[in-house]
Amino acid sequence: MQRNLLDRIKKASPVIEPHSVESRSLPNEGGMKTFIRFVEVKSLADLAWWRNTAEPAIRALSDRSDREWRWDRIFWSTSLAGALRNPRIVKAVVDAADGTEVTVGVGVFLRCEVFLGNPAKTAAFTWRLSTLPHDLSHNLLAMESPKGVGRAMIEYVVRLAIHDGHGGRHWLHADRGGGHGSESGLTRS
């Protein structure tokens, strides 16, 4: 299954260049397609909407493992790690029915890490990944919410891992309960 997913990702979109904006479509709840873009975050101002709108909504949900995350702190700690880890902070955005841009996901990806499956090889690593709560997404977009934003962001990182010469290798640290508990486990993809 893992090899099939990698093959599908390679065929589905061209290899992305660093610092480019990538886009794709995702199905939404109404069976239509929603156009989503992945945009690199270059400054704290790029995260202002997420910090002011999404973070408070996520903090109010007791079942989210990301409810204590503060993206201003994450931005600065990621910036400090930049020389060593080649990080990329990316936001996934869609255009709402009224034409405004709405961020539906934010992630931090390290582009050159040791691969746990084989320490002699390198891989990309998903350090943080947060998506907009469904109810908020539906209300803000004034249209059907896109499905699979988190998965699309992971596929984006796999494409980075292909571009960077890691053979599509990627790993992440995830909450086993999918955000419904504090126990964490290590997952390879």
Side-chain angles (χ1 to χ4, degrees), residues 25-141:
S25 63
L26 291 177
N28 64 31
E29 296 168 336
M32 304 295 284
K33 296 284 184 181
T34 300
F35 191 65
I36 187 169
R37 295 181 309 282
F38 302 99
V39 180
E40 188 167 358
V41 172
K42 299 284 191 180
S43 71
L44 196 53
D46 292 339
L47 290 171
W49 184 91
W50 187 266
R51 290 175 46 233
N52 296 328
T53 307
E55 275 186 18
I58 291 169
R59 270 195 292 277
L61 301 171
S62 62
D63 65 343
R64 294 280 300 240
S65 58
D66 58 347
R67 70 182 174 276
E68 298 299 325
W69 294 0
R70 301 296 182 270
W71 280 90
D72 55 342
R73 294 178 190 159
I74 293 168
F75 176 83
W76 291 117
S77 64
T78 302
S79 297
L80 293 173
L84 302 173
R85 306 285 191 192
N86 195 8
R88 181 177 278 189
I89 303 175
V90 174
K91 61 182 183 177
V93 298
V94 299
D95 292 324
D98 65 2
T100 59
E101 183 178 276
V102 175
T103 302
V104 293
V106 181
V108 178
F109 312 111
L110 304 180
R111 296 181 59 188
C112 190
E113 288 292 302
V114 172
F115 183 54
L116 292 183
N118 181 346
K121 296 187 177 191
T122 57
F125 173 61
T126 297
W127 187 13
R128 306 271 183 159
L129 180 64
S130 185
T131 58
L132 197 61
H134 174 75
D135 292 343
L136 184 59
S137 174
H138 186 74
N139 292 339
L140 289 170
L141 295 173

Side-chain angles (χ1 to χ4, degrees), residues 1-2 4 12 17 47-48 51-52 55-56 76 83 105 130 142-144 152 168 171 174 181:
M1 179 172 152
Q2 190 172 354
N4 291 339
E17 297 297 323
L47 290 171
R51 290 175 46 233
N52 296 328
E55 275 186 18
W76 291 117
S130 185
M143 60 187 201
E144 300 295 332
W171 60 286

